Amino acid sequence: MKILAINPGSTSTKIAVYEDTTPRLVRTLRHSVEELSAFPTVTGQFDFRRDLVLRELEADGIPLQFDAVIGRGGLFKPIPGGVYEINNLMLHDAKNAVHPHACNLGCLIAAHLAGMQPGCRAFIADPGVTDELDEVARITGSPLMPRITIWHALNQRAIARRYAREQGTRYEQLDLIICHLGGGISIGTHHHGRCIDVNNALDGEGPFSPERAGTLPAGELIDLCYSGRFTREELKKRISGHAGLAAHLGTTDIPAIVRRIEEGDNHARLVLEAMIYQTAKSIGAAATVLSGHVDAILLTGGIAHNPYVIERLTGRIAFLAPVHVYPGEDELEALALNALAALHSELEVQEYR
């Protein structure tokens, strides 16, 4: 089976070509701020990114002859995890998503490229809006604002399955806490194959991160909204985008921040320690969801490459359960293997409705 996987991110489009489980091409196409600034909306980038993918395939001599094209899922309405066949309703919801993010282009590009090939199927898998919360986890102190989930579902599930294979067991038999450390930080509590509790890592819950503010004092936030100092869009950026480390230190570059600390920058030390502290505290809270019965804590995402952060975070949480580190992300492989399992009927293909 030949599979094309497409993962659009904020400043890159990652693609992979797989023949069954073997990667034949893995490529990251980076986009400059200047390139993307030409498009007033994220959906306006569709032609630009699609054409880049086609040119890359052509340059590598890879014909557009695939059994499936699978894209990263978008931020549409909450759905259970799994593999979904892309349909017209999903395309409509991706184009009109409340949260404008490049991942919304994943299903749009996948459907378009699959439509150019007779017999080719178009899928997404484990989108960021995957919602399997226990009902008790949805309740907040205001019935106007139930909890929602926006998290790194695809990578967390891929890492969970990888860990399970290494332990000679199945993901569906484990109780795990998985922490994705990236531009946003998501901490998922996984119980026997379901993520029963996880923070909204995009716009306002959990620890702060390189780009996001995390949970903020509600009263002060309301006062700030009515202060007249910022527009609605400017305030949104203060929650997701120009928030977290970016707001405190002017950068999201963890190695650069660590260098500043090594050179004696005590403010940088305090802010980075605060992010680690909040992350550890959230992991500790997740352990209570499982009543303390945690098989392992898995740390993943780009920041997991950084020893400074991982050593300090592990030092705070290792008493809870064994800690295993999986730096980076397995999202392209996860997409391809999900598509392969769907083609072989090993995973049920779900209908988006």
Side-chain angles (χ1 to χ4, degrees):
M1 294 288 184
K2 291 189 66 177
I3 297 160
L4 172 62
I6 302 170
N7 182 0
S10 299
T11 58
S12 68
T13 302
K14 299 177 182 179
I15 64 171
V17 173
Y18 273 70
E19 291 181 4
D20 290 329
T21 60
T22 303
R24 298 302 185 192
L25 171 73
V26 179
R27 196 67 47 83
T28 297
L29 311 175
R30 303 208 176 272
H31 318 309
S32 68
V33 173
E34 291 74 24
E35 284 178 315
L36 297 181
S37 64
F39 306 99
T41 64
V42 171
T43 52
Q45 300 171 18
F46 171 81
D47 290 343
F48 167 72
R49 295 199 190 222
R50 176 205 59 199
D51 292 345
L52 281 178
V53 172
L54 289 171
R55 284 201 295 271
E56 199 66 25
L57 294 174
E58 184 178 4
D60 281 271
I62 299 173
L64 198 64
Q65 296 173 357
F66 295 98
D67 296 287
V69 183
I70 184 165
R72 181 180 175 188
L75 301 181
F76 18 76
K77 62 188 176 186
I79 54 177
V83 179
Y84 287 79
E85 194 114 32
I86 298 172
N87 59 21
N88 287 332
L89 178 59
M90 184 186 296
L91 296 175
H92 172 272
D93 288 356
K95 291 174 184 175
N96 298 280
V98 173
H99 299 283
H101 189 280
C103 66
N104 295 325
L105 295 167
C107 67
L108 299 175
I109 297 173
H112 182 90
L113 296 184
M116 298 169 64
Q117 309 166 67
C120 181
R121 299 176 72 181
F123 300 119
I124 65 160
D126 292 327
V129 290
T130 293
D131 183 350
E132 299 164 342
L133 293 186
D134 279 350
E135 288 305 307
V136 70
R138 299 183 191 280
I139 307 299
T140 71
S142 170
L144 298 174
M145 291 177 282
R147 290 182 70 222
I148 64 169
T149 62
I150 301 178
W151 57 296
H152 303 89
L154 182 63
N155 189 46
Q156 285 204 24
R157 276 254 165 74
I159 293 302
R161 292 191 176 107
R162 178 176 164 187
Y163 172 78
R165 288 195 302 271
E166 292 172 357
Q167 301 301 312
T169 185
R170 298 175 64 246
Y171 167 50
E172 290 77 12
Q173 296 175 318
L174 294 171
D175 287 332
L176 303 169
I177 298 171
I178 307 178
C179 176
H180 181 108
L181 298 157
I185 295 176
S186 64
I187 298 164
T189 307
H190 297 249
H191 174 61
H192 293 186
R194 286 176 52 232
C195 185
I196 60 175
D197 200 344
V198 65
N199 60 305
N200 177 347
L202 179 66
D203 60 359
E205 191 184 22
F208 74 83
S209 71
E211 297 179 0
R212 280 137 207 184
T215 301
L216 294 170
E220 293 179 40
L221 182 59
I222 291 170
D223 290 341
L224 190 61
C225 290
Y226 283 89
S227 69
R229 292 174 56 192
F230 304 101
T231 66
R232 183 176 184 275
E233 290 308 311
E234 287 170 340
L235 281 170
K236 284 282 191 180
K237 287 288 185 183
R238 299 271 171 168
I239 290 175
S240 179
H242 188 66
L245 296 182
H248 281 287
L249 302 176
T251 181
T252 61
D253 188 332
I254 300 292
I257 293 170
V258 172
R259 286 194 296 271
R260 285 166 58 173
I261 292 170
E262 291 169 345
E263 292 166 1
D265 188 334
N266 288 327
H267 178 61
R269 183 189 305 276
L270 178 62
V271 171
L272 188 58
E273 182 60 36
M275 187 185 84
I276 296 167
Y277 170 85
Q278 289 192 10
T279 302
K281 193 163 68 166
S282 295
I283 290 172
T288 69
V289 176
L290 297 169
S291 301
H293 302 300
V294 184
D295 292 309
I297 300 169
L298 312 183
L299 306 179
T300 183
I303 299 175
H305 285 288
N306 190 273
Y308 184 98
V309 173
I310 294 304
E311 287 171 11
R312 284 158 178 78
L313 179 56
T314 301
R316 288 187 176 273
I317 62 175
F319 74 96
L320 295 166
V323 179
H324 299 262
V325 183
Y326 297 89
E329 56 189 34
D330 280 347
E331 290 185 334
L332 284 172
E333 180 185 50
L335 287 171
L337 295 183
N338 270 289
L340 184 64
L343 291 171
H344 286 312
S345 301
E346 295 168 1
L347 281 178
E348 179 186 356
V349 178
Q350 302 186 61
E351 180 184 359
Y352 182 85
R353 53 192 175 188

